[in-house]
Amino acid sequence: MEASAGAAVLTAVHDLVPALRERAQETEDRRALSAETVKALAETGFFRLLQPARFGGYEAHPLTFLRGVRELAAACGSTGWVASVIGVHNWQLALFPAPAQQDVWGDDPGTRMSSSYAPTGTIRAVDGGYRVNGRWSFSSGCDHADWALLGGIIPPGDDGSPADFRTFLLPATDYVIEDVWHTVGLRGTGSNDIVVTDAFVPAYRSLSFNDTARCACPGQEVNTAPLYRIPYASIFSYAITTPIIGMATGAYDAHVDYLRERVRAAYAGVRAAEDPYSQVRVAIAAADLDAAWLALEADLSELMELATAGEKLPMRLRLRTRRDQVRGTELAIGAVDRLFENSGGRALATGTPIQRFWRDAHAGRVHAINDPERALSLFGRGEFGLPITDAMV
């Protein structure tokens, strides 16, 4: 992709930000993004950034995509979250067998997918594919998608074959959406339940996590850009952490603007901006956000450089990426907490951006990919020379 195309998308995203910030409370109140917001995002070209060129996509550097995510989430946490997870699905579909990509994008390259990866349903292997049943939760943006990516485990076979954790691709005609999303944070994501009853999924519409861990997926036969040789765990995990960094960035901007004008009556009318303790808290929050983002940039830049050169991606780099991802989430949460604590009682008022960013960031933190101990333990195992068997690296 020409750099100018990515720059044009980011410029269009930037131009959209004031409107998204203006309707952030409306998005929260409706518990879902509006059709107007999703249409506007699509018109910027944002969803095409990680899509294969064969279907009109830009095959952009993942940092281009994540810079857009961060700016969107700094305006509206729910919008940034949905944009990120919906947008990254175009990258994942590029790893599926070519017929699956054709099923989704053949008639309309703008078709979108939602997801729910926790293997909460039941999968049964049958001739030519699988029978899928069950309920999957937390499918962000599902009301604006025509397909769903659902995680499932195929039990061990009678022939001794091991269990296999796979992603299954289903059209909206194969499931129903149940409106259950009533939460304290990320209320505007519409992360409702997907319910499937005895749907048949052809074998070509599934993808093994073992293949994604090996960076050897069927879709690479037709999508040869370096972008599609990056580990799933590196791309998807940062698609979850980046919105949280964006929410903390939005809280930071709102906090600084607020304190410029705030007068602390309890401290003899001293302007908050002149309070040295407030200055220190702002400095620490800014440093933590910079550290989170700079590590993200360094990791993905190195991964892309190696993939572009056709070189093997070292396990230590992959482990470092997961380490920095969970630490990035922790740093962002620490920053937003510090800013919230420094904002005073008026920040508690319904409708203020700081409390909304605080709630949204903490809601994003509980996503399974942000489990710090698991990722940090993997890095430690690698440093001690112990075997790594987890597919999420």
Side-chain angles (χ1 to χ4, degrees), residues 78-363:
S78 289
T79 299
W81 182 272
V82 171
S84 191
V85 297
I86 294 291
V88 81
H89 293 153
N90 285 355
W91 175 84
Q92 186 184 6
L93 182 58
L95 307 180
F96 273 70
Q101 300 172 46
Q102 186 65 30
D103 283 355
V104 177
W105 290 323
D107 293 331
D108 180 6
T111 300
R112 292 180 292 271
M113 297 153 281
S114 68
S115 67
S116 179
Y117 296 103
T120 53
T122 301
I123 312 297
R124 181 168 57 90
V126 297
D127 288 344
Y130 308 92
R131 283 287 171 186
V132 178
N133 285 275
R135 176 185 295 268
W136 284 259
S137 298
F138 312 121
S139 191
S140 300
C142 57
D143 289 328
H144 301 287
D146 293 314
W147 291 76
L149 296 156
L150 304 177
I153 295 177
I154 302 173
D158 295 335
D159 58 358
S161 57
D164 189 11
F165 184 18
R166 304 183 74 88
T167 301
F168 299 88
L169 176 65
L170 286 75
T173 51
D174 281 354
Y175 59 83
V176 296
I177 297 171
E178 290 197 6
D179 184 354
V180 298
W181 191 242
H182 300 275
T183 58
V184 298
L186 291 177
R187 287 176 57 83
T189 61
S191 302
N192 289 305
D193 285 5
I194 301 287
V195 181
V196 181
T197 302
D198 197 33
F200 173 73
V201 178
Y204 71 84
R205 279 206 245 123
S206 72
L207 181 68
S208 173
F209 271 90
N210 291 329
D211 289 344
T212 63
R214 294 185 299 111
C215 296
C217 297
Q220 292 168 331
E221 296 177 8
V222 290
N223 300 316
T224 59
L227 171 66
Y228 305 115
R229 295 196 292 273
I230 303 296
Y232 172 90
S234 300
I235 295 290
F236 182 81
S237 65
Y238 268 137
I240 296 300
T241 287
T242 299
I244 299 172
I245 296 174
M247 295 166 208
T249 302
Y252 180 89
D253 293 340
H255 180 75
V256 170
D257 287 345
Y258 172 56
L259 287 201
R260 283 196 182 105
E261 307 300 327
R262 183 185 177 206
V263 174
R264 284 187 160 165
Y267 295 95
V270 174
R271 290 181 62 240
E274 295 174 353
D275 177 1
Y277 302 111
S278 289
Q279 295 163 359
V280 169
R281 291 168 189 144
V282 164
I284 294 173
D288 286 348
L289 290 174
D290 283 347
W293 185 254
L294 290 172
L296 180 158
E297 288 189 318
D299 293 338
L300 288 180
S301 293
E302 189 170 348
L303 284 168
M304 278 295 287
E305 287 172 7
L306 291 171
T308 300
E311 298 181 18
K312 185 177 180 179
L313 307 180
M315 179 54 69
R316 190 174 192 277
L317 172 59
R318 295 171 63 164
L319 291 169
R320 189 188 84 197
T321 299
R322 284 285 282 121
R323 178 202 71 186
D324 292 347
Q325 175 259 316
V326 295
R327 284 292 295 140
T329 294
E330 288 187 322
L331 289 168
I333 292 295
V336 80
D337 282 351
R338 190 180 301 275
L339 296 166
F340 185 69
E341 292 164 6
N342 196 51
S343 294
R346 294 190 182 278
L348 295 171
T350 301
T352 60
I354 292 176
Q355 56 81 29
R356 185 171 57 245
F357 283 125
W358 184 83
R359 289 185 289 105
D360 287 348
H362 277 272

Side-chain angles (χ1 to χ4, degrees), residues 315-316 318-327 330 369-390 392-393:
M315 179 54 69
R316 190 174 192 277
R318 295 171 63 164
L319 291 169
R320 189 188 84 197
T321 299
R322 284 285 282 121
R323 178 202 71 186
D324 292 347
Q325 175 259 316
V326 295
R327 284 292 295 140
E330 288 187 322
I369 203 73
N370 287 321
D371 179 357
E373 289 80 13
R374 186 176 303 279
L376 296 177
S377 175
L378 284 171
F379 182 84
R381 288 183 64 85
E383 291 295 276
F384 292 133
L386 299 174
I388 304 297
T389 58
D390 197 307
M392 287 302 293
V393 293

